[in-house]
Amino acid sequence: MDILFLGTSAAVPSKQRSTSCVAVREGADVVLLDCGEGSQRQIMASPVSFMKIRAILISHMHGDHIFGLPGLLQTMGLSERREPLTVYGPAGLGAFVRATMSLTEDEEAEAPYEIDVVELEGGETFEVRGFSISCFRTEHGMRSLGYVLREPDRPGKLDHRKALELGIRDGPDMARLKAGEAVGGVRPEDVLGPSVPGLSVAYTGDTKPCGSTVENVRGVDVLIHEATYMDSESRNAAEHNHSTAAQAARVAGEAGVRHLILTHISHRYEDREAVALEARAIFPETYAADDMEAYQVTRGGISVRDVRQA
């Protein structure tokens, strides 16, 4: 699984950082988390194809999380996308998409692909191209949602020698067993080891630290948590329903996640490492994301690379 940070700034973009947008990629399939202003330009400068976006998950209706959505939807149409696209988010999202698209498109021109908007309350679970996705309520002074994306569990290791002893021949029959199908009276559980849990990633959007985040992200491999402020600005964080880096770290520790990645960081903090260090003092497995960084997540850990295209 790859997690590509396309925009990591807080509400106001800077010359170096765009507003909130994260792409989660498994194989060629992409799920987009939020779509702030400038997102499609960031996508074009990255290895991600916007034609491979299977769903867009919006956390809340603040501009730095949605103002890039109409432009991206329009560009997909101009690029002759035909595959339907579903956009998920809180109440009000449907009205926003209808209004912006109807006022900026030719009234007689039909979009060449279907755009389905699904408004969520929190607590729903749905499937998107191999991901099981659940949403939960967060606390941001308005209707706001977080999301957890989970890959399906993978079959365990095939005991090749045992399968041969049970009369299974090399070739298609071995593959059928590995895929979970019984062959000649031999059941998959007879020759397969324990299943391997799929990877999981959670995204909070904007929120102050809250119990619903802890409960819903418990045990995930990666928690992407906002950290608009450092702890010296904790009063501002509370006033505006945001989190500090230290607060995000405490949430990660309480929830027992494997890794924490901080995003939505105010551009007053030019030194991202200082933000990360504040959190690492509490939760050592912490990273502070920057625009155009890709985090490859495996069972063995995380590797980070810059994917900026020339």
Side-chain angles (χ1 to χ4, degrees):
M1 178 192 292
D2 287 317
I3 304 172
L4 174 59
F5 288 85
L6 297 161
T8 60
S9 177
V12 179
S14 69
K15 291 180 180 180
Q16 293 77 32
R17 299 183 182 94
S18 190
T19 51
S20 292
C21 187
V22 182
V24 179
R25 183 171 67 176
E26 177 58 38
D29 296 324
V30 176
V31 175
L32 207 63
L33 305 171
D34 280 331
C35 193
E37 178 186 354
S39 292
Q40 65 170 310
R41 180 65 184 84
Q42 294 290 87
I43 291 170
M44 291 174 182
S46 81
V48 169
S49 168
F50 53 74
M51 302 297 275
K52 299 295 185 181
I53 296 173
R54 309 307 180 191
I56 301 174
L57 313 180
I58 300 297
S59 64
H60 64 291
M61 298 298 293
H62 278 160
D64 58 315
H65 295 256
I66 61 169
F67 279 168
L69 183 59
L72 178 60
L73 296 178
Q74 185 179 64
T75 296
M76 288 179 178
L78 293 173
S79 300
E80 300 185 349
R81 181 186 176 111
R82 294 294 183 269
E83 181 185 351
L85 176 71
T86 304
V87 185
Y88 298 88
L93 179 60
F96 172 78
V97 171
R98 287 191 299 271
T100 53
M101 298 301 286
S102 66
L103 290 171
T104 57
E105 294 276 9
D106 184 340
E107 290 185 1
E108 297 184 1
E110 293 186 6
Y113 68 103
E114 180 182 347
I115 302 170
D116 186 22
V117 178
V118 178
E119 295 187 348
L120 304 169
E121 291 291 327
E124 297 92 342
T125 299
F126 48 94
E127 301 288 327
V128 174
R129 280 293 179 99
F131 283 112
S132 175
I133 303 176
S134 58
C135 67
F136 58 94
R137 292 276 191 97
T138 58
E139 297 184 18
H140 189 47
M142 64 183 303
R143 182 64 59 84
S144 58
L145 300 169
Y147 296 94
V148 180
L149 289 71
R150 299 183 186 276
E151 293 178 337
D153 292 348
R154 303 182 188 279
K157 184 177 180 180
L158 176 68
D159 187 332
H160 184 258
R161 178 180 295 180
K162 186 174 182 181
L164 289 174
E165 291 172 352
L166 292 173
I168 304 299
R169 293 178 295 179
D170 282 325
D173 286 348
M174 288 285 186
R176 288 167 59 194
L177 274 172
K178 182 75 172 177
E181 182 181 346
V183 177
V186 179
R187 301 169 301 172
E189 55 265 35
D190 294 333
V191 293
L192 294 180
S195 62
V196 179
L199 295 169
S200 55
V201 56
Y203 175 71
T204 66
D206 290 1
T207 182
K208 64 183 182 181
C210 58
S212 62
T213 297
V214 172
E215 289 305 314
N216 284 279
V217 310
R218 197 174 295 282
V220 300
D221 293 291
V222 178
L223 170 60
I224 304 170
H225 199 295
E226 75 117 297
T228 307
Y229 298 97
M230 293 182 69
D231 235 25
S232 59
E233 298 282 346
S234 57
R235 182 174 296 180
N236 272 337
E239 181 179 348
H240 298 290
N241 294 295
H242 282 293
S243 295
T244 69
Q247 289 169 337
R250 293 186 190 102
V251 168
E254 190 174 347
V257 308
R258 288 179 62 208
H259 306 281
L260 170 66
I261 306 178
L262 305 175
T263 189
H264 200 273
I265 300 170
S266 171
H267 61 72
R268 74 184 70 190
Y269 307 118
E270 294 185 6
D271 184 0
R272 292 287 169 114
E273 186 61 17
V275 179
L277 285 172
E278 177 174 284
R280 281 190 201 126
I282 299 166
F283 189 82
E285 285 298 317
T286 297
Y287 304 80
D290 207 347
D291 284 25
M292 309 305 283
E293 281 185 343
Y295 289 69
Q296 184 177 48
V297 186
T298 67
R299 280 279 151 228
I302 284 182
S303 60
V304 188
R305 68 190 190 281
D306 190 296
V307 295
R308 209 175 309 269
Q309 301 291 290

